Structure formats: structure tokens, C-alpha cells
Amino acid sequence: MARPEQVLLLEPQHELKFRGPFSDVVTTTLKLSNPTDRNVCFKVKTTAPRRYCVRPNSGIIDAGTSINVSVMLQPFDYDPNEKSKHKFMVQSMLAPPDMTDMEGVWKEAKPEELMDSKLRCVFELPVENEKTHDMESNKMVSPSLLKSESCTLSMKSMSSTLDDGEVKKIMEECKRLQMEAQRLREENKQIREDDGLRMRKSNVMSSQHSSSVGVVKEEGLSARMVALIVLFFVVGIIVGKLVL
């Protein structure tokens, strides 16, 4: 008797993709959805149990709900010439209404009650073009701070993955950014010098204005003194004539 069709909806349906580098744990997510009006028991199995950690690897999905299963690939030495033969199987069955012991239900389940879906594992490494794009994006964040030393080191590290034409274009862009940074520094220096010159002119004008005010005040005082002396002299003459 053929097994019933899987009632759970799997996302993804056929492949579990793991994106490297594989020097650390790589995690992908498998979403299991239950569109029925019955609770569904599930188990996640693999042909390479020592290479993966699955959480949760079994449980119950309530009617009309879903669950995310984390599949964690353990670190290993990746060989791009070796194709992955690892596979996963999602096994399920409708939960009995009066279920109390899930392990017991699995042991007593009949073959015609079990449903399963299989997925194969695919290992992928980041595309070189994407890594190059990320490196260039990082360098373009602050072009005014770009230094010739860092640019030279970047060219050496990237030359192993790029052809001569691409390396030449990037070096030309690097030189252009260096010239732009130098121009900005020179403009900044000129602005500071202009500000200093304006401040010196302002100080000189202020001092000249203060001196002219002092001279006017002194001239005013001298005029008043002369007037007082003349007045005293005239008064003296008049008083002298009256006495005689």
C-alpha cells in the first residue's frame, strides 16, 4: 500500500543550501507548515547525523501553524570537487486525539500512517565577484581618508582574484581618489590661511581705530586748556585795570 501524501508544507521544498565559508558553523532554516485542521507529529532525520545539529528535531505542529527548524552544519574542510551526498527526511503523521506519549505513538505507528519528504544538501561558497564588490564598497565609505599604503595593500590582495584589466581600473580609481583627497586638503589649508589673514586685518583696523580716537580726545583736551588760559588772561587784565 502506498504511503499517503505529505500534509506538511516544506520551505524550501527540495534543497537545503549551506553557504560557506565552512570554517565555522553554518545554519540554514527549514520551515514546516501545517495547513490541516489536525495536529501533526514530525521528525527530522539525516544520513549524516554527526555532521549536523537539528533544533528541534521532533515535535508537534498544531493545526494551522508552522515551525522553524534550525539545521546547523558543523565546521569541516570543504572540497569544491566533492559533491554532497547528505540528505534529510521530514517524517510526519497525524497526531491521535488522545496522544500522551509521542515516542510511543511513533513506535506503534503503522507504515501506511507515515508521510515523508526528502531534501538534499547543497554547499555553496561566496561568489568571488561579490567578495570583490564588498571590498570596494568598504573602500568607498570614506574616500577623503584613503591612503596610498592601504590602497597598495588592497591591490596586492585583490590582484590574485582579478584580471589585469580590472586591477588597472581599480588602481586608476584609487589614484583619482588620492588626488581628490589631496585637493581637499589643499583647499582646507587655503581656507585656514584666508581666515588667519582676515583676522589679522581685523586686528590692525581695530588698533588703528583706537589710536585715532585717542588722538581726537587729546586734541579736544588741548583746545579746552588753551581756551581756559586765554579766559584767565583776559580776566586778569580786566581785574588789573579796575584796581588801578
Side-chain angles (χ1 to χ4, degrees):
M1 181 178 179
R3 288 190 176 187
E5 186 178 352
Q6 176 70 271
V7 295
L8 295 179
L9 301 178
L10 279 64
E11 185 181 343
Q13 293 183 345
H14 306 295
E15 292 182 344
L16 286 176
K17 294 185 178 182
F18 298 87
R19 192 178 183 87
F22 301 102
S23 56
D24 201 354
V25 176
V26 179
T27 303
T28 190
T29 300
L30 173 63
K31 183 178 181 181
L32 304 178
S33 300
N34 178 12
T36 70
D37 57 358
R38 295 271 304 273
N39 293 348
V40 175
C41 301
F42 77 93
K43 276 187 176 182
V44 181
K45 300 180 178 180
T46 178
T47 57
R50 295 183 179 181
R51 300 287 295 276
Y52 299 90
C53 180
V54 181
R55 292 291 183 273
N57 58 4
S58 63
I60 300 175
I61 305 177
D62 294 335
T65 64
S66 62
I67 188 172
N68 288 329
V69 177
S70 296
V71 183
M72 292 161 276
L73 173 63
Q74 303 305 302
F76 72 103
D77 293 329
Y78 174 70
D79 183 359
N81 297 321
E82 181 181 353
K83 291 185 178 181
S84 172
K85 297 180 181 180
H86 302 168
K87 294 181 181 179
F88 275 81
M89 180 174 70
V90 178
Q91 200 170 43
S92 65
M93 66 176 178
L94 297 175
D98 56 349
M99 185 186 70
T100 56
D101 180 15
M102 189 168 64
E103 287 299 325
V105 170
W106 281 108
K107 290 179 181 179
E108 297 173 1
K110 299 177 182 179
E112 59 269 18
E113 296 176 340
L114 300 177
M115 299 166 282
D116 59 63
S117 300
K118 296 179 180 179
L119 303 94
R120 69 186 187 95
C121 298
V122 178
F123 300 153
E124 296 179 343
L125 279 176
V127 181
E128 294 295 335
N129 290 339
E130 292 183 5
K131 292 195 295 184
T132 302
H133 175 72
D134 292 341
M135 293 175 68
E136 291 187 10
S137 297
N138 292 335
K139 290 194 297 179
M140 291 294 290
V141 169
S142 181
S144 62
L145 299 178
L146 188 63
K147 304 295 183 180
S148 59
E149 293 82 4
S150 61
C151 183
T152 302
L153 291 175
S154 299
M155 290 305 103
K156 289 182 179 180
S157 62
M158 294 172 64
S159 60
S160 59
T161 59
L162 301 174
D163 57 36
D164 293 340
E166 291 173 328
V167 171
K168 184 177 180 182
K169 289 180 181 179
I170 295 174
M171 289 195 68
E172 290 176 354
E173 180 67 13
C174 183
K175 290 180 180 179
R176 187 187 67 78
L177 293 174
Q178 291 175 11
M179 293 176 65
E180 180 68 15
Q182 181 64 26
R183 185 183 65 81
L184 292 175
R185 284 194 293 267
E186 291 177 355
E187 288 183 358
N188 191 25
K189 181 179 179 182
Q190 184 64 39
I191 290 172
R192 289 199 300 268
E193 291 177 354
D194 292 344
D195 289 342
L197 182 59
R198 282 195 295 269
M199 290 180 66
R200 287 195 295 271
K201 288 183 178 180
S202 177
N203 292 335
V204 170
M205 292 178 66
S206 298
S207 61
Q208 289 178 351
H209 177 71
S210 300
S211 299
S212 62
V213 171
V215 171
V216 171
K217 288 182 178 180
E218 290 178 359
E219 290 177 352
L221 289 174
S222 298
R224 285 196 293 271
M225 289 295 292
V226 171
L228 288 173
I229 292 171
V230 171
L231 179 61
F232 289 147
F233 180 73
V234 172
V235 171
I237 292 174
I238 296 171
V239 172
K241 287 184 177 182
L242 291 175
V243 172
L244 293 175

